[in-house]
Amino acid sequence: MMTDFSWLGDLFAFALPGGFLGAVASWAVGRRKRDNDFLCEMQRSIDLLSEKYNQVLQENVALRQEKAQWQVAQQELLAKVDRLTREVESLRRNFRTSILNKKYV
């Protein structure tokens, strides 16, 4: 039992001179190149986004540190304002007391 492969000869007789096989091969190679170019472009985009993310992250860390320093300074100022407020109240009481003492003397 032999298989008839005469159709294969007809296919080659049609495909080779017309450039059909060359076109298919060129299309396959071109598609692979396009896919590779696309992947390279995607990798460049990922690298750029990663770099930008790292820059933003570093800036975020710096801003958080600065915020912490400002909060410490704010707490120190609030403590000083509180101390000065108590001192002013004490001075007012002493002043009122001394004024009242002078009136009755």
Side-chain angles (χ1 to χ4, degrees):
M1 231 189 215
M2 282 215 197
T3 309
D4 185 17
F5 287 108
S6 64
W7 63 271
L8 192 60
D10 291 338
L11 177 67
F12 283 130
F14 166 76
L16 288 177
F20 176 74
L21 289 179
V24 169
S26 294
W27 176 82
V29 169
R31 180 171 182 192
R32 183 177 176 116
K33 183 180 181 328
R34 283 190 306 276
D35 289 347
N36 286 341
D37 290 347
F38 176 74
L39 291 175
C40 287
E41 189 61 35
M42 290 294 290
Q43 186 62 47
R44 276 190 227 113
S45 295
I46 290 168
D47 292 344
L48 180 63
L49 288 173
S50 177
E51 183 180 322
K52 291 288 184 184
Y53 173 78
N54 287 332
Q55 289 173 352
V56 169
L57 185 62
Q58 289 173 358
E59 185 177 331
N60 190 356
V61 169
L63 288 172
R64 285 177 183 256
Q65 290 172 344
E66 186 178 346
K67 178 183 175 186
Q69 292 169 349
W70 281 110
Q71 287 176 329
V72 168
Q74 180 188 23
Q75 292 303 316
E76 290 172 355
L77 287 173
L78 288 174
K80 288 178 182 179
V81 166
D82 188 48
R83 189 184 81 244
L84 288 173
T85 302
R86 282 185 269 125
E87 186 177 333
V88 166
E89 283 300 314
S90 175
L91 290 172
R92 283 183 181 162
R93 269 186 259 118
N94 289 340
F95 182 73
R96 286 184 194 135
T97 304
S98 69
I99 296 279
L100 289 176
N101 286 342
K102 286 184 183 178
K103 281 186 182 179
Y104 294 117
V105 177

